[in-house]
Amino acid sequence: MPEMISTIARIADRHREPVAVQALRSTAAAVISYVIALRLSSEPAPLTAPLTALLVVQVTLYSTLTTGIRRVNSVVAGVLIAIGFSALVGLTWWSLGLVILASLLVGHLVRVDEFVPEVAISAMLVLGVTQVANTAWDRVVETLIGAAVGMLVNLLVAPPVWVGPASAAITDLAARMSRLLGHIGEEPPGPAKVEEAAARLHEARRLDNDIAQVDAALRQAEDSLRLNPRVKEGLLSRLVLRTGLDTLEICAVVLRVACRTLTDLAKARPDSPLFTAEIRGALREVLGHTATAVESFAQLITTQVSANAEAAEARLAGELVVARASRDRLADLLLAGVREDPAQWQLQGALLAEIDRVLDELGVDKRSQRLLEELDRNTRTRRGRRFPSFPRRRRADGGGGEGRGDGRGGGRGEGRRV
């Protein structure tokens, strides 16, 4: 009995997941559009309507509204091209080539973006039918039905919010960075340390691909927050995640540079240890605290409840205090070692500077400053769109020229990221 209850609970929770919600919405839109098309189209199986609805109902309301219009334009443009060619030349091998070429060119002219191939697909499908005129207009009607139903489904049925998957992707990225920091502090004995350092460098470089995947998930989450009636503070949520990912990306770059530094140190000392036992212990300690701070930072930016966010911020601040204290101890040990053996002081100093940069980027004050800058930039951008500055009429004394220059100059500079 308890197992059955837990299974039912898991199923009930799963129906609220974005993937399940999206599947149900797409299925409903396709079926409804097919039923409507059966009544309004002369085709016995008007599958263009459910196909269009299935494609128009994207994962977010914002992308549905933007892609739906472009998709309708692409289908209508392809149908019109097919009608023109069928009236003039019909279907031959060379007319097919001309239809495809013309469709691709027209697709770029009408600016349907990623749906340019669909212009050619629609033209070929219509051109290959015997009764082109009737089929063409039926296809237009079915396309309009599918697009309208798809948009209505997104308006009436609230689309899923993809903040959860984006937060999970950020948390996973932070966990990988934390594991890399733990691996950096390990130094195998003997010549294998060069190969091990090179492996860590490759591991750091793979973080670039991870960041690209997280960025794609975050863009989907940002779109799901736009025009969504279920979200009250969409802008703040988007900026918290976006600025947090920017911080983790900077840290990933610094980690890659640190791995490069350790690789150069290993190559410079192939037969001797990189550091003394005391320095190795201090380095493992500071990297361990930095790894914990990275995970605490990810937990902070992905936490939605204010009470949990305060607790995560307190943990992050405490971990950074301990990490900076360990860093100071490591700096003293490195300085003492440099006085005895100054051969590699450039690389050791660079490693210490890279640790400082990571700790500085994870700081609560740095995060708050970056978030405030993004909020201010977005506010000024929205004001600029709502109240565009118009050039003032030039006065006889020439004073209006200065006012016009200020109005234009400020608008361009404010949209740039600091």
Side-chain angles (χ1 to χ4, degrees), residues 44-209:
L47 294 177
T48 304
L51 175 63
T52 305
L54 192 63
L55 296 174
V56 167
V57 181
Q58 302 296 322
V59 291
T60 66
L61 176 60
Y62 178 79
S63 60
T64 296
L65 295 176
T66 55
T67 60
I69 297 174
R70 294 199 302 273
R71 187 175 295 278
V72 172
N73 289 339
S74 65
V75 174
V76 172
V79 169
L80 294 177
I81 292 173
I83 293 175
F85 270 85
S86 64
L88 295 175
V89 296
L91 178 60
T92 61
W93 65 267
W94 57 269
S95 66
L96 178 62
L98 289 178
V99 166
I100 295 174
L101 179 61
S103 300
L104 295 178
L105 293 177
V106 171
H108 288 287
L109 290 177
V110 297
R111 296 183 178 181
V112 295
D113 298 336
E114 70 270 26
F115 302 126
V116 169
E118 193 162 322
V119 181
I121 293 173
S122 299
M124 286 188 295
L125 290 177
V126 174
L127 190 63
V129 182
T130 55
Q131 299 177 350
V132 176
N134 295 333
T135 303
W137 294 117
D138 285 337
R139 184 170 172 83
V140 171
V141 171
E142 294 169 17
T143 301
L144 293 175
I145 292 173
V149 171
M151 291 184 180
L152 285 176
V153 166
N154 255 356
L155 291 174
L156 299 177
V157 182
V161 177
W162 293 82
V163 174
S167 300
I170 291 177
T171 303
D172 184 64
L173 173 64
R176 297 182 189 180
M177 295 175 62
S178 177
R179 287 195 297 268
L180 176 60
L181 283 165
H183 295 160
I184 291 175
E186 301 172 357
E187 180 186 345
K193 64 183 178 182
V194 179
E195 298 178 0
E196 189 71 18
R200 298 293 172 253
L201 179 58
H202 289 300
E203 184 179 353
R205 288 170 177 168
R206 284 195 295 270
L207 287 175
D208 291 338
N209 296 330

Side-chain angles (χ1 to χ4, degrees), residues 66-351:
T66 55
T67 60
I69 297 174
R70 294 199 302 273
R71 187 175 295 278
V72 172
N73 289 339
S74 65
V75 174
V76 172
V79 169
L80 294 177
I81 292 173
I83 293 175
F85 270 85
S86 64
L88 295 175
V89 296
L91 178 60
T92 61
W93 65 267
W94 57 269
S95 66
L96 178 62
L98 289 178
V99 166
I100 295 174
L101 179 61
S103 300
L104 295 178
L105 293 177
V106 171
H108 288 287
L109 290 177
V110 297
R111 296 183 178 181
V112 295
D113 298 336
E114 70 270 26
F115 302 126
V116 169
E118 193 162 322
V119 181
I121 293 173
S122 299
M124 286 188 295
L125 290 177
V126 174
L127 190 63
V129 182
T130 55
Q131 299 177 350
V132 176
N134 295 333
T135 303
W137 294 117
D138 285 337
R139 184 170 172 83
V140 171
V141 171
E142 294 169 17
T143 301
L144 293 175
I145 292 173
V149 171
M151 291 184 180
L152 285 176
V153 166
N154 255 356
L155 291 174
L156 299 177
V157 182
V161 177
W162 293 82
V163 174
S167 300
I170 291 177
T171 303
D172 184 64
L173 173 64
R176 297 182 189 180
M177 295 175 62
S178 177
R179 287 195 297 268
L180 176 60
L181 283 165
H183 295 160
I184 291 175
E186 301 172 357
E187 180 186 345
K193 64 183 178 182
V194 179
E195 298 178 0
E196 189 71 18
R200 298 293 172 253
L201 179 58
H202 289 300
E203 184 179 353
R205 288 170 177 168
R206 284 195 295 270
L207 287 175
D208 291 338
N209 296 330
D210 298 336
I211 290 174
Q213 295 174 0
V214 176
D215 182 70
L218 183 53
R219 284 199 304 269
Q220 186 181 57
E222 290 172 340
D223 286 346
S224 71
L225 294 174
R226 291 188 177 99
L227 306 177
N228 196 322
R230 297 168 55 187
V231 180
K232 296 181 179 180
E233 298 180 355
L235 176 61
L236 183 60
S237 300
R238 285 192 286 118
L239 293 183
V240 167
L241 292 177
R242 175 57 63 184
T243 55
L245 179 59
D246 291 342
T247 298
L248 292 178
E249 184 175 5
I250 294 173
C251 293
V253 173
V254 177
L255 285 181
R256 187 169 68 245
V257 176
C259 291
R260 176 80 260 180
T261 301
L262 288 173
T263 303
D264 293 339
L265 272 170
K267 292 179 180 178
R269 295 184 173 183
D271 301 325
S272 59
L274 299 183
F275 307 105
T276 63
E278 190 175 13
I279 292 178
R280 284 200 304 271
L283 181 61
R284 282 196 301 269
E285 182 179 356
V286 66
L287 291 178
H289 290 300
T290 304
T292 305
V294 169
E295 293 184 343
S296 298
F297 178 84
Q299 184 179 4
L300 171 62
I301 63 175
T302 56
T303 300
Q304 301 297 323
V305 184
S306 59
N308 294 335
E310 292 178 359
E313 184 172 340
R315 285 194 300 271
L316 174 60
E319 202 63 42
L320 288 176
V321 169
V322 177
R324 289 192 176 99
S326 301
R327 177 263 172 208
D328 294 338
R329 177 171 175 268
L330 174 63
D332 294 337
L333 294 174
L334 288 176
L335 181 60
V338 164
R339 290 171 179 170
E340 299 177 0
D341 184 13
Q344 308 298 334
W345 68 270
Q346 297 97 333
L347 293 175
Q348 295 180 7
L351 179 62

